[in-house]
Amino acid sequence: GWAMVAMMGATVGTVSRPNVLILLTDDVGWGDVGYNCKNSSVCPQTPNIDAVAMSDSAVLFHRFYSGAGVCSPTRASVLTGRNNKRGCINSALPCDHMASGAAECSQGPGLSWNEFTIAHAASKAGIPSIHLGKWHLGDLWDKKLDGKGRAGRWPAGIPHHSNPADHGFTEWDSSQSQLPTSTPNCGCFPAGVPPAEQPPSLNRSSAGLKFKHTYPGDNCVIGGGVLVNESFVCSTYWHPDNSTKTGVAPALSKIVGDDGDYMVKGLSTFIDTSLAKSKNFLATLWLHYIHLPHPAMPEYYDMYENDPDYVGALGQMDATFGDIVGMLQTKGVYNNTLLFFTSDNGCHCIESTALWPEVHCGGVGIGRSSAGLRGCKASNWEGGIRVPGFMVWPDRISQHVQTSFPAVTHDFLPTILEAYGVAPDDPHRPLDGISLLSFVGDGPQPLRRDKPIGFWWGDSVAWIDNDIKLVGGGISPGQGCSLEPPYTASSQGPYLYNLTSDPTESVDLRTSAPALYASMLAALSAWTRNVSASAALNGCPAPAPPGPTPPAPPPGPVGTNCTFEQGICGFGSDDHQIADVSLQGCCDACRTHPTCTVAVFEEGKRGTTTEGTCHIKIETKSGRDCAGYWTCRARNVTRMGLGGGV
């Protein structure tokens, strides 16, 4: 349904406890909704989202934050009201669905079973719950039961799965990680039938197809606004099934169109069952829009000239949102539904190509998906963590509110606890969020947040205390974004900003406000110690201290010796590449480059080190395990902690 949402009242009277619906999108940037988009020539059309966000029953946050700059940590914060590291989620868990299906990979230990979640809160209130969509907080079943587990990934005593039921959900129908936005789960895949012909040219989008798509299909959508006889790798939704060895089973139906349609049907069925039992409901719909791959259905692709697969898929997201709200209204439950809409992190910008540059990836002041904020996904600058966010509850909110009050996904659990009138099992367990119900009703709206917001995932940290922000740890511009003035590869944080006067984080206040800088550092340090204590109580691996940021590399070459390590790659994006070079030549090129930090040598055919590709890096980033690669550290750059996928 593309039909515009009609903002009409529902028929059910006010009840003491609301229904709760959390709509979490994936990689949707601050400017990826119409009401935030500044560059009208490439803005997505999101009339349904805009209508609800601007309605009389909405609180629209101009500074809403995801709990982290990447996926899994934010999802943990949505459920627990706490920083991800308290529950053993360090960064985005591995397991790329578009490289292999869920059955072929393991994410290892996921979210700690000890965490109290929004689903547990619903259970205490006697309310059934369901999780639909992307999970990415651990394996949905014990992979060792079907021979897919990875030995040695679990500490002793840690369960070998972490699915929604393990965290209190009554029902679930979930993907372990990302799925395509169109024709997912091999919905167009007739097993054993080869393609009838070679697919046609995919024109503008062909260079962006970075995922395996040679599986036979029938009228599949994998990009370019055309139907082809190829499909992405077969990955799907899973649900509990006690009749199987693993206790789960894949979705029985194939999704032949928009992925969102499947989730809307599942939500509708769940609500009908709850209403039949005179029950309220709690539902989390974690949508796959707009994570790669995001092929738009042809009817949405054709609506746009610029960036049609990306912006078209955002149109599908809006249509799904409209279908959800319309369905709630039809069932008479919209008025008493506390609805949250947001994203798990900022926009993803790594897919630009010379053939068809993704125009949503811009810079400071011009980027559409970031609405001109600095950085993107995988950054603690604003473009990586400031995301669309609003709260709706028609029975309790009668006047539209727009606020610059900083809110975050940590706030969902405390808000739900207050709305339900229940307490967590352990009232002394520290929460990082606050209730947002102070915005509900006729009282004065809060202007300042009493509890600062902390971010800590991987080695990245940030601390926001109202309009003041400290960014430290492993500072990165994000996936596909570049360092922009006034920053260079040799710039070193932590940085201090006033976000009210400097929303693009361009003016560092460290030297002009030393006392404020010291107090923010002290507060951040105290909070990270508290997070580490929670992690220890949960039996998590001890988090590495986040800072301070390493000192800048010395200028120029540093001697004649090279330090080689085999089987390591990563260390940030390439500054440039050198083809047909030896391992020694690659290292020499780095040593003589004025700002090279690490050279990554990619072995040639048959594993030769005499002729390969040299990747010159100028950032200070983490490395990771990679077969067929060597690193040459030409400066004082360490291997650092190995991070998971994002």
Side-chain angles (χ1 to χ4, degrees), residues 334-500:
Y334 180 68
N335 278 2
N336 193 44
T337 296
L338 174 59
L339 183 153
F340 300 95
F341 175 86
T342 190
S343 177
D344 66 345
N345 47 249
C347 55
H348 181 284
C349 290
I350 205 166
E351 60 203 292
S352 299
T353 69
L355 176 64
W356 187 251
E358 296 273 357
V359 295
H360 71 276
C361 300
V364 172
I366 62 171
R368 193 214 62 225
S369 284
S370 63
L373 299 175
R374 186 178 299 276
C376 51
K377 174 181 177 178
S379 175
N380 267 338
W381 274 319
E382 291 290 283
I385 55 177
R386 191 189 292 197
V387 291
F390 56 82
M391 175 176 71
V392 179
W393 190 359
D395 269 347
R396 295 288 304 277
I397 302 171
S398 59
Q399 184 174 354
H400 180 68
V401 175
Q402 294 193 35
T403 179
S404 294
F405 181 93
V408 66
T409 50
H410 306 331
D411 297 338
F412 291 164
L413 174 66
T415 304
I416 293 168
L417 288 171
E418 183 177 354
Y420 284 165
V422 299
D425 291 341
D426 181 359
H428 302 293
R429 197 177 182 90
L431 294 177
D432 295 305
I434 62 172
S435 173
L436 298 176
L437 289 192
S438 54
F439 287 97
V440 171
D442 299 325
Q445 306 296 331
L447 299 177
R448 294 184 61 80
R449 185 183 178 99
D450 293 333
K451 179 183 288 187
I453 303 173
F455 304 83
W456 186 13
W457 51 275
D459 63 351
S460 297
V461 290
W463 186 250
I464 293 177
D465 189 351
N466 291 287
D467 55 350
I468 305 300
K469 178 180 179 182
L470 183 76
V471 180
I475 300 170
S476 165
Q479 291 184 359
C481 285
S482 301
L483 283 171
E484 296 182 78
Y487 307 102
T488 67
S490 61
S491 299
Q492 297 294 322
Y495 302 109
L496 185 70
Y497 307 107
N498 184 319
L499 294 176
T500 300

Side-chain angles (χ1 to χ4, degrees), residues 23-235:
L23 299 178
L24 183 69
T25 60
D26 198 344
D27 292 0
V28 171
W30 176 248
D32 277 335
V33 290
Y35 69 81
N36 273 342
C37 188
K38 296 179 180 179
N39 188 346
S40 59
S41 65
V42 292
C43 283
Q45 296 181 28
T46 58
N48 294 301
I49 293 171
D50 298 349
V52 174
M54 296 298 176
S55 69
D56 289 341
S57 56
V59 178
L60 176 61
F61 295 95
H62 290 302
R63 287 181 60 200
F64 195 90
Y65 292 95
S66 56
V70 290
C71 175
S72 304
T74 294
R75 293 167 193 272
S77 76
V78 169
L79 296 187
T80 68
R82 289 154 49 97
N83 175 264
N84 45 279
K85 295 210 178 197
R86 296 188 192 271
C88 306
I89 298 294
N90 177 56
S91 188
L93 296 179
C95 193
D96 186 344
H97 264 200
M98 304 318 300
S100 60
E104 281 75 45
C105 61
S106 172
Q107 294 182 349
L111 182 64
S112 169
W113 284 26
N114 296 329
E115 291 293 279
F116 182 88
T117 71
I118 57 175
H120 292 130
S123 179
K124 294 188 76 168
I127 294 173
S129 58
I130 189 170
H131 179 274
L132 294 164
K134 182 176 177 178
W135 179 240
H136 211 185
L137 286 172
D139 287 348
L140 297 176
W141 69 92
D142 184 347
K143 300 296 176 66
K144 289 189 175 181
L145 293 176
D146 56 11
K148 303 296 183 182
R150 296 179 181 177
R153 291 181 62 87
W154 287 269
I158 299 295
H160 290 192
H161 55 85
S162 180
N163 63 47
D166 299 327
H167 299 285
F169 283 93
T170 311
E171 299 181 30
W172 57 275
D173 192 1
S174 310
S175 63
Q176 186 161 298
S177 188
Q178 80 267 34
L179 290 180
T181 52
S182 301
T183 58
N185 87 330
C186 301
C188 56
F189 183 98
V193 180
E197 59 186 20
Q198 292 298 315
S201 168
L202 297 182
N203 300 320
R204 294 173 294 186
S205 295
S206 60
L209 291 174
K210 303 182 186 304
F211 298 100
K212 191 172 183 179
H213 56 282
T214 58
Y215 290 73
D218 182 19
N219 290 329
C220 306
V221 178
I222 61 173
V226 294
L227 301 177
V228 298
N229 292 329
E230 293 189 50
S231 173
F232 287 119
V233 65
C234 188
S235 196

Side-chain angles (χ1 to χ4, degrees), residues 128 268-281 333:
S268 179
T269 300
F270 175 72
I271 292 176
D272 287 343
T273 302
S274 299
L275 291 176
K277 298 177 181 179
S278 299
K279 295 279 191 179
N280 293 97
F281 62 85
V333 296

